[in-house]
Amino acid sequence: MEKLKQRWNIESNWSIIAILLVFSINGSFAAWVAKPITSFFGLSLETVSPFIFWPLRILLIFPIYQLTLPIVGWLFGQFRFFWAFEKKFLSRLGLGFLFKESN
């Protein structure tokens, strides 16, 4: 626990528990939200090969997860952590320009 607290620059055990809960809840939430979207587009294992369905589903879950992570984090009082996490993560993907402040 101490290593996580140092790495994530947090001080309480509650924050670690809340952060881990947010990661798990948001993952389930993103998968749950993606299901009706894939159905809307007529994508299911019955209509599409699993080799096409699963990569498309994962590509759909990824942006949903990224968009909802700060929101779910906010519900647990961890918005600041997850906003910084998102900016760092998306910057590593080459999308850092989304967070640049214009002068």
Side-chain angles (χ1 to χ4, degrees):
M1 289 274 246
E2 292 303 316
K3 284 187 178 183
L4 280 179
K5 285 162 76 172
Q6 289 175 351
R7 182 176 179 169
W8 289 345
N9 195 25
I10 54 177
E11 296 181 11
S12 71
N13 289 338
W14 158 246
S15 293
I16 291 176
I17 292 168
I19 289 167
L20 294 175
L21 276 171
V22 169
F23 278 126
S24 61
I25 290 170
N26 194 56
S28 298
F29 179 71
W32 179 74
V33 169
K35 187 173 185 175
I37 296 172
T38 54
S39 295
F40 176 78
F41 288 112
L43 299 172
S44 71
L45 287 171
E46 291 81 28
T47 59
V48 180
S49 165
F51 295 107
I52 294 172
F53 175 79
W54 287 112
L56 287 175
R57 173 105 182 212
I58 291 168
L59 286 173
L60 178 62
I61 290 172
F62 180 75
I64 294 169
Y65 184 88
Q66 298 307 316
L67 288 171
T68 57
L69 189 60
I71 297 166
V72 176
W74 174 77
L75 292 173
F76 282 80
Q78 299 297 321
F79 177 79
R80 215 180 282 158
F81 173 83
F82 284 103
W83 185 244
F85 181 86
E86 279 298 305
K87 290 194 290 188
K88 185 176 181 181
F89 181 76
L90 293 175
S91 292
R92 288 182 178 171
L93 290 179
L95 299 172
F97 65 90
L98 296 172
F99 304 107
K100 298 282 186 213
E101 293 183 25
S102 58
N103 291 327

